Amino acid sequence: MIVNQIGYLNLGAVNKLKENGKLFSIYKTNKNTVILVLNTKKKSLHLSYPQKNRLPFKVVEGKKIAKCELIVCSETAINITADGWNNNDQIMAYEEFNLN
């Protein structure tokens, strides 16, 4: 999946996403970090950034970020905790790359 970085979210912002019914999943990467990806609930992902030097119709090529395994999906999670997050208070968030 080719993604854009949204930025860091704190636990309050993540809980607000859940309260508003937004679909997201929290993943553990092969680099032993924890990230949040909006609008997905796949069990595993291969994340990459879009190549900046490619034409828009060639965005299938990207710079690899990480391989990820699902930890928590917003649809099934009861409590979301900040365990394993950056300083245990923030998580890097991504969304699927869109040309628009």
Side-chain angles (χ1 to χ4, degrees), residues 64-100:
K64 184 179 174 187
I65 301 172
K67 294 186 295 184
C68 310
E69 294 297 325
L70 181 68
I71 298 174
V72 175
C73 177
S74 63
E75 289 182 336
T76 58
I78 297 170
N79 286 352
I80 297 176
T81 65
D83 291 338
W85 294 15
N86 188 11
N87 294 325
N88 287 327
D89 70 346
Q90 59 185 2
I91 188 168
M92 179 56 73
Y94 297 90
E95 65 183 350
E96 189 167 6
F97 178 73
N98 189 348
L99 290 174
N100 298 330

Side-chain angles (χ1 to χ4, degrees), residues 8-20 24 36:
Y8 285 100
L9 300 176
N10 62 24
L11 185 57
V14 172
N15 282 327
K16 188 166 188 143
L17 287 174
K18 183 170 174 26
E19 289 171 11
N20 292 337
F24 63 87
L36 181 144

Side-chain angles (χ1 to χ4, degrees), residues 32-43:
N32 210 24
T33 59
V34 179
I35 62 170
L36 181 144
V37 182
L38 293 174
N39 301 319
T40 189
K41 59 180 179 179
K42 296 179 182 176
K43 291 188 186 254

Side-chain angles (χ1 to χ4, degrees), residues 21-36:
K22 300 284 185 182
L23 175 63
F24 63 87
S25 295
I26 297 176
Y27 293 90
K28 183 156 192 154
T29 71
N30 63 312
K31 299 174 182 178
N32 210 24
T33 59
V34 179
I35 62 170
L36 181 144

